[in-house]
mmCIF file of all heavy atoms in Angstrom:
data_model
loop_
_atom_site.group_PDB
_atom_site.id
_atom_site.type_symbol
_atom_site.label_atom_id
_atom_site.label_comp_id
_atom_site.label_asym_id
_atom_site.label_seq_id
_atom_site.Cartn_x
_atom_site.Cartn_y
_atom_site.Cartn_z
ATOM 1 N N ASP A 57 100.788 69.807 85.900
ATOM 2 C CA ASP A 57 101.747 68.723 85.487
ATOM 3 C C ASP A 57 101.739 68.471 83.964
ATOM 4 O O ASP A 57 102.387 67.577 83.550
ATOM 5 C CB ASP A 57 101.369 67.387 86.263
ATOM 6 C CG ASP A 57 100.085 66.802 85.797
ATOM 7 O OD1 ASP A 57 99.324 67.471 85.020
ATOM 8 O OD2 ASP A 57 99.758 65.697 86.215
ATOM 9 N N PHE A 60 96.732 68.872 81.546
ATOM 10 C CA PHE A 60 95.615 69.677 81.192
ATOM 11 C C PHE A 60 96.150 70.812 80.327
ATOM 12 O O PHE A 60 97.247 71.263 80.515
ATOM 13 C CB PHE A 60 94.934 70.266 82.418
ATOM 14 C CG PHE A 60 94.199 69.245 83.240
ATOM 15 C CD1 PHE A 60 94.796 68.523 84.254
ATOM 16 C CD2 PHE A 60 92.812 68.968 82.935
ATOM 17 C CE1 PHE A 60 94.086 67.571 84.966
ATOM 18 C CE2 PHE A 60 92.134 68.011 83.671
ATOM 19 C CZ PHE A 60 92.755 67.320 84.686
ATOM 20 N N TYR A 71 83.750 64.822 91.883
ATOM 21 C CA TYR A 71 83.556 64.765 93.299
ATOM 22 C C TYR A 71 83.611 66.128 93.985
ATOM 23 O O TYR A 71 83.964 67.147 93.345
ATOM 24 C CB TYR A 71 84.699 63.874 93.914
ATOM 25 C CG TYR A 71 84.841 62.486 93.334
ATOM 26 C CD1 TYR A 71 85.901 62.298 92.374
ATOM 27 C CD2 TYR A 71 84.016 61.448 93.659
ATOM 28 C CE1 TYR A 71 86.042 61.062 91.795
ATOM 29 C CE2 TYR A 71 84.181 60.193 93.114
ATOM 30 C CZ TYR A 71 85.206 59.977 92.168
ATOM 31 O OH TYR A 71 85.365 58.759 91.592
ATOM 32 N N ASP A 165 90.046 57.846 83.344
ATOM 33 C CA ASP A 165 91.327 58.294 83.748
ATOM 34 C C ASP A 165 91.352 59.738 84.230
ATOM 35 O O ASP A 165 92.399 60.220 84.647
ATOM 36 C CB ASP A 165 92.293 58.252 82.511
ATOM 37 C CG ASP A 165 92.562 56.796 82.030
ATOM 38 O OD1 ASP A 165 92.549 55.918 82.948
ATOM 39 O OD2 ASP A 165 92.708 56.623 80.840
ATOM 40 N N THR A 166 90.220 60.397 84.162
ATOM 41 C CA THR A 166 90.122 61.828 84.476
ATOM 42 C C THR A 166 89.143 62.049 85.623
ATOM 43 O O THR A 166 88.051 61.484 85.632
ATOM 44 C CB THR A 166 89.721 62.635 83.271
ATOM 45 O OG1 THR A 166 90.687 62.435 82.214
ATOM 46 C CG2 THR A 166 89.697 64.141 83.567
ATOM 47 N N ALA A 167 89.529 62.958 86.565
ATOM 48 C CA ALA A 167 88.646 63.279 87.675
ATOM 49 C C ALA A 167 88.859 64.718 88.109
ATOM 50 O O ALA A 167 89.964 65.265 87.945
ATOM 51 C CB ALA A 167 88.888 62.314 88.873
ATOM 52 N N ILE A 168 87.774 65.311 88.596
ATOM 53 C CA ILE A 168 87.799 66.683 89.132
ATOM 54 C C ILE A 168 87.230 66.625 90.527
ATOM 55 O O ILE A 168 86.142 65.982 90.763
ATOM 56 C CB ILE A 168 86.923 67.613 88.231
ATOM 57 C CG1 ILE A 168 87.432 67.631 86.810
ATOM 58 C CG2 ILE A 168 86.929 69.033 88.842
ATOM 59 C CD1 ILE A 168 88.846 68.163 86.617
ATOM 60 N N TYR A 169 87.879 67.216 91.472
ATOM 61 C CA TYR A 169 87.301 67.377 92.815
ATOM 62 C C TYR A 169 87.075 68.881 93.041
ATOM 63 O O TYR A 169 88.008 69.688 92.945
ATOM 64 C CB TYR A 169 88.220 66.828 93.839
ATOM 65 C CG TYR A 169 87.631 66.770 95.281
ATOM 66 C CD1 TYR A 169 87.240 65.547 95.833
ATOM 67 C CD2 TYR A 169 87.494 67.899 96.064
ATOM 68 C CE1 TYR A 169 86.649 65.495 97.119
ATOM 69 C CE2 TYR A 169 86.929 67.897 97.331
ATOM 70 C CZ TYR A 169 86.523 66.642 97.857
ATOM 71 O OH TYR A 169 85.977 66.640 99.075
ATOM 72 N N ASP A 197 89.930 62.145 100.499
ATOM 73 C CA ASP A 197 89.396 61.960 99.127
ATOM 74 C C ASP A 197 90.186 62.650 98.077
ATOM 75 O O ASP A 197 90.316 62.144 96.934
ATOM 76 C CB ASP A 197 87.927 62.383 99.108
ATOM 77 C CG ASP A 197 86.990 61.461 99.855
ATOM 78 O OD1 ASP A 197 87.495 60.423 100.352
ATOM 79 O OD2 ASP A 197 85.785 61.738 99.952
ATOM 80 N N ILE A 198 90.670 63.801 98.342
ATOM 81 C CA ILE A 198 91.516 64.574 97.350
ATOM 82 C C ILE A 198 92.780 63.794 97.085
ATOM 83 O O ILE A 198 93.179 63.617 95.932
ATOM 84 C CB ILE A 198 91.810 65.966 97.855
ATOM 85 C CG1 ILE A 198 90.539 66.824 97.864
ATOM 86 C CG2 ILE A 198 92.911 66.660 97.015
ATOM 87 C CD1 ILE A 198 90.677 68.140 98.619
ATOM 88 N N LEU A 199 93.417 63.341 98.112
ATOM 89 C CA LEU A 199 94.654 62.523 97.939
ATOM 90 C C LEU A 199 94.369 61.188 97.299
ATOM 91 O O LEU A 199 95.190 60.711 96.454
ATOM 92 C CB LEU A 199 95.395 62.326 99.300
ATOM 93 C CG LEU A 199 95.894 63.622 99.934
ATOM 94 C CD1 LEU A 199 96.473 63.277 101.318
ATOM 95 C CD2 LEU A 199 96.949 64.285 99.083
ATOM 96 N N CYS A 201 91.983 60.630 95.034
ATOM 97 C CA CYS A 201 91.771 60.971 93.637
ATOM 98 C C CYS A 201 93.077 61.265 92.939
ATOM 99 O O CYS A 201 93.325 60.824 91.785
ATOM 100 C CB CYS A 201 90.856 62.197 93.497
ATOM 101 S SG CYS A 201 89.130 61.874 93.887
ATOM 102 N N ASN A 202 93.982 61.929 93.603
ATOM 103 C CA ASN A 202 95.284 62.272 93.031
ATOM 104 C C ASN A 202 96.085 61.038 92.676
ATOM 105 O O ASN A 202 96.803 60.961 91.731
ATOM 106 C CB ASN A 202 96.048 63.172 93.971
ATOM 107 C CG ASN A 202 97.269 63.797 93.357
ATOM 108 O OD1 ASN A 202 97.207 64.507 92.314
ATOM 109 N ND2 ASN A 202 98.483 63.570 93.921
ATOM 110 N N TYR A 205 93.667 58.688 89.723
ATOM 111 C CA TYR A 205 93.409 59.119 88.354
ATOM 112 C C TYR A 205 94.636 59.729 87.669
ATOM 113 O O TYR A 205 95.343 60.550 88.328
ATOM 114 C CB TYR A 205 92.233 60.140 88.262
ATOM 115 C CG TYR A 205 90.914 59.597 88.754
ATOM 116 C CD1 TYR A 205 90.523 59.750 90.114
ATOM 117 C CD2 TYR A 205 90.132 58.859 87.908
ATOM 118 C CE1 TYR A 205 89.311 59.205 90.558
ATOM 119 C CE2 TYR A 205 88.910 58.292 88.285
ATOM 120 C CZ TYR A 205 88.542 58.467 89.647
ATOM 121 O OH TYR A 205 87.314 57.979 90.082
ATOM 122 N N GLN A 206 94.895 59.323 86.407
ATOM 123 C CA GLN A 206 96.000 59.862 85.730
ATOM 124 C C GLN A 206 95.912 61.408 85.496
ATOM 125 O O GLN A 206 96.878 62.138 85.644
ATOM 126 C CB GLN A 206 96.125 59.184 84.341
ATOM 127 C CG GLN A 206 97.314 59.696 83.511
ATOM 128 C CD GLN A 206 97.352 59.010 82.148
ATOM 129 O OE1 GLN A 206 96.862 57.912 81.976
ATOM 130 N NE2 GLN A 206 98.037 59.619 81.182
ATOM 131 N N ASN A 207 94.716 61.803 85.199
ATOM 132 C CA ASN A 207 94.442 63.237 85.013
ATOM 133 C C ASN A 207 93.532 63.704 86.143
ATOM 134 O O ASN A 207 92.333 63.447 86.089
ATOM 135 C CB ASN A 207 93.749 63.528 83.667
ATOM 136 C CG ASN A 207 94.501 62.875 82.464
ATOM 137 O OD1 ASN A 207 95.694 62.938 82.450
ATOM 138 N ND2 ASN A 207 93.761 62.263 81.588
ATOM 139 N N PHE A 208 94.106 64.381 87.067
ATOM 140 C CA PHE A 208 93.323 64.847 88.246
ATOM 141 C C PHE A 208 93.539 66.322 88.503
ATOM 142 O O PHE A 208 94.712 66.800 88.441
ATOM 143 C CB PHE A 208 93.617 64.030 89.526
ATOM 144 C CG PHE A 208 92.910 64.620 90.693
ATOM 145 C CD1 PHE A 208 91.539 64.527 90.826
ATOM 146 C CD2 PHE A 208 93.634 65.202 91.755
ATOM 147 C CE1 PHE A 208 90.860 65.086 91.938
ATOM 148 C CE2 PHE A 208 93.012 65.756 92.885
ATOM 149 C CZ PHE A 208 91.602 65.666 92.935
ATOM 150 N N MET A 209 92.468 67.017 88.762
ATOM 151 C CA MET A 209 92.561 68.467 89.086
ATOM 152 C C MET A 209 91.731 68.749 90.290
ATOM 153 O O MET A 209 90.536 68.404 90.380
ATOM 154 C CB MET A 209 92.094 69.353 87.948
ATOM 155 C CG MET A 209 92.198 70.822 88.231
ATOM 156 S SD MET A 209 91.661 71.904 86.878
ATOM 157 C CE MET A 209 93.057 71.760 85.791
ATOM 158 N N LEU A 210 92.314 69.460 91.272
ATOM 159 C CA LEU A 210 91.574 69.982 92.456
ATOM 160 C C LEU A 210 91.134 71.391 92.076
ATOM 161 O O LEU A 210 92.015 72.199 91.716
ATOM 162 C CB LEU A 210 92.496 70.006 93.676
ATOM 163 C CG LEU A 210 91.946 70.764 94.917
ATOM 164 C CD1 LEU A 210 90.642 70.130 95.361
ATOM 165 C CD2 LEU A 210 93.029 70.751 96.014
ATOM 166 N N VAL A 226 99.288 67.778 95.366
ATOM 167 C CA VAL A 226 98.378 67.353 94.285
ATOM 168 C C VAL A 226 98.919 67.888 92.956
ATOM 169 O O VAL A 226 99.415 68.989 92.870
ATOM 170 C CB VAL A 226 96.934 67.914 94.542
ATOM 171 C CG1 VAL A 226 96.055 67.836 93.311
ATOM 172 C CG2 VAL A 226 96.280 67.080 95.696
ATOM 173 N N LYS A 227 98.656 67.099 91.869
ATOM 174 C CA LYS A 227 99.334 67.387 90.601
ATOM 175 C C LYS A 227 98.819 68.655 89.980
ATOM 176 O O LYS A 227 99.608 69.447 89.318
ATOM 177 C CB LYS A 227 99.096 66.185 89.643
ATOM 178 C CG LYS A 227 99.773 64.925 90.042
ATOM 179 C CD LYS A 227 99.373 63.723 89.199
ATOM 180 C CE LYS A 227 98.023 63.183 89.564
ATOM 181 N NZ LYS A 227 97.684 61.813 89.007
ATOM 182 N N ASN A 228 97.497 68.903 90.029
ATOM 183 C CA ASN A 228 96.930 70.093 89.407
ATOM 184 C C ASN A 228 95.977 70.784 90.317
ATOM 185 O O ASN A 228 95.035 70.108 90.838
ATOM 186 C CB ASN A 228 96.175 69.760 88.072
ATOM 187 C CG ASN A 228 97.105 69.137 87.050
ATOM 188 O OD1 ASN A 228 97.787 69.865 86.382
ATOM 189 N ND2 ASN A 228 97.147 67.790 87.018
ATOM 190 N N ILE A 229 96.156 72.080 90.567
ATOM 191 C CA ILE A 229 95.212 72.825 91.467
ATOM 192 C C ILE A 229 94.864 74.125 90.723
ATOM 193 O O ILE A 229 95.706 74.847 90.253
ATOM 194 C CB ILE A 229 95.895 73.199 92.802
ATOM 195 C CG1 ILE A 229 96.391 71.938 93.487
ATOM 196 C CG2 ILE A 229 94.918 73.915 93.690
ATOM 197 C CD1 ILE A 229 97.142 72.159 94.828
#
Side-chain angles (χ1 to χ4, degrees):
D57 69 352
F60 290 90
Y71 307 100
D165 295 327
T166 303
I168 304 296
Y169 188 104
D197 288 357
I198 290 168
L199 294 176
C201 286
N202 192 58
Y205 296 96
Q206 179 180 338
N207 309 316
F208 174 65
M209 180 181 284
L210 169 61
V226 164
K227 292 173 283 194
N228 297 278
I229 304 177

